[in-house]
Amino acid sequence: MGNIKPYLQLTRPANLLTALADILAGMAIAGFSFTGGNYFYLLLATLGLYGGGVVLNDVFDAELDAIERPERPIPSGKVPLRAATLFGGVLLALGILCARFFALESGLIALGIAMLVILYDRNAKHSKIWGPIVMGMCRGGNLLLGISVLPAALSHYSWVGFVPIVYIGAITMISQDEVHGGKRRTLYLAGIFYATVHLVQLLVAYAQGNLLLAIPWVALHVFLVARPLWAAIQNPVGPMIGKAVKAGVLSLIVMDAAWCVAFGYWPLALLVLLLLPFSIYLAKIFAVT
């Protein structure tokens, strides 16, 4: 286990569960009946894509982490840089292949996600403008990957992929100042982005005739992200910002559950919500950011 744990740490296990939640939410949006078992390929695909993405993120950050976060697996020497590069690349490739095994449309979406992941890891994350946008596109693509369980649904609900861009954009904006502290203006803007996502979900739920069911779920998500964000606004130092980022990432599960309810899949929403305590537990063992 001692040799495996550093590799697991690179994949951010707590975050991987949020990627699974995206896929399940996308399936609910598509109106999938969950018959047959080949849709598990999409669940495997997102694990590969997300895991590979965060591993390669640490690969590209190896020199910086050696200064700012020397305890991480690569700068600490627990995982050699070459091994981490190979590990991340293999995970990305497996993610694309699993998606392609399911459907051509899914494979193309996965390929697009992989390209965006590399763009973010290598270049975009250094930009305060493009970093949040590209990272948001990665998460939006992941939701579309779930919707591709019924490829015909992509033409009707592809617009939903823009919503995670706003949400993840907010988290990425906050996280850019996690080490050295941030500015209140950025945190307030992130709050506006969060509120926009919540409003869109409520409007969709209303259009689907599920507003009353969705309100408690959206309210729960508001509660989970607003408290740490407000605390960070009051005291915008690194540790407080880190807590706001962590809450935003883990609460993706609740946001995905709200999508399920908005489209009338409340039993699936309960299943998605069950991922949250496991994600919180894993976050105590492995780093989230």
Side-chain angles (χ1 to χ4, degrees):
M1 181 64 181
N3 293 330
I4 297 175
K5 186 174 180 179
Y7 285 88
L8 289 176
Q9 185 177 345
L10 284 174
T11 65
R12 313 288 201 279
N15 303 29
L16 289 178
L17 296 185
T18 71
L20 291 176
D22 285 345
I23 299 298
L24 294 173
M27 291 177 178
I29 293 170
F32 185 55
S33 61
F34 291 89
T35 56
N38 61 340
Y39 63 86
F40 279 99
Y41 277 121
L42 295 180
L43 297 174
L44 293 174
T46 195
L47 292 177
L49 292 168
Y50 195 101
V54 292
V55 170
L56 291 178
N57 182 66
D58 278 14
V59 168
F60 285 111
D61 277 354
E63 292 185 9
L64 181 62
D65 284 343
I67 299 172
E68 296 184 346
R69 296 171 176 177
E71 74 283 355
R72 285 191 164 182
I74 296 175
S76 67
K78 295 176 182 177
V79 178
L81 182 61
R82 179 174 295 183
T85 304
L86 179 62
F87 182 41
V90 168
L91 286 175
L92 274 186
L94 288 175
I96 297 170
L97 287 174
C98 285
R100 176 60 186 90
F101 284 151
F102 181 81
L104 175 61
E105 293 86 349
S106 303
L108 292 174
I109 292 172
L111 178 60
I113 293 172
M115 294 172 65
L116 287 169
V117 161
I118 294 173
L119 175 62
Y120 176 82
D121 288 346
R122 184 173 182 179
N123 302 109
K125 68 183 176 186
H126 302 296
S127 168
K128 288 187 176 294
I129 296 176
W130 288 108
I133 292 174
V134 175
M135 176 54 72
M137 290 174 67
C138 291
R139 185 66 73 158
N142 201 40
L143 190 60
L144 293 180
L145 186 61
I147 295 175
S148 74
V149 71
L150 294 177
L154 288 169
S155 61
H156 298 287
Y157 296 113
S158 58
W159 62 268
V160 179
F162 287 100
V163 179
I165 295 177
V166 178
Y167 184 83
I168 298 300
I171 296 176
T172 309
M173 286 168 55
I174 300 169
S175 68
Q176 287 176 336
D177 295 317
E178 184 176 355
V179 175
H180 303 293
K183 299 178 181 178
R184 288 189 174 91
R185 181 176 60 184
T186 301
L187 299 176
Y188 276 120
L189 183 58
I192 293 173
F193 280 19
Y194 279 156
T196 301
V197 170
H198 296 140
L199 178 60
V200 170
Q201 285 194 310
L202 290 174
L203 289 174
V204 170
Y206 175 77
Q208 296 290 326
N210 298 310
L211 179 60
L212 292 180
L213 281 174
I215 287 176
W217 296 80
V218 174
L220 174 61
H221 189 239
V222 171
F223 174 77
L224 292 174
V225 299
R227 288 186 65 192
L229 179 61
W230 180 247
I233 290 173
Q234 297 299 305
N235 186 20
V237 296
M240 301 303 291
I241 290 176
K243 290 180 180 179
V245 172
K246 182 177 179 180
V249 172
L250 298 184
S251 296
L252 275 161
I253 292 174
V254 182
M255 185 183 76
D256 284 330
W259 278 123
C260 294
V261 174
F263 282 85
Y265 280 71
W266 65 265
L268 180 61
L270 293 174
L271 177 62
V272 170
L273 191 61
L274 286 176
L275 294 174
L276 183 59
F278 291 103
S279 185
I280 292 174
Y281 172 75
L282 289 172
K284 295 179 180 179
I285 303 174
F286 301 98
V288 173
T289 60

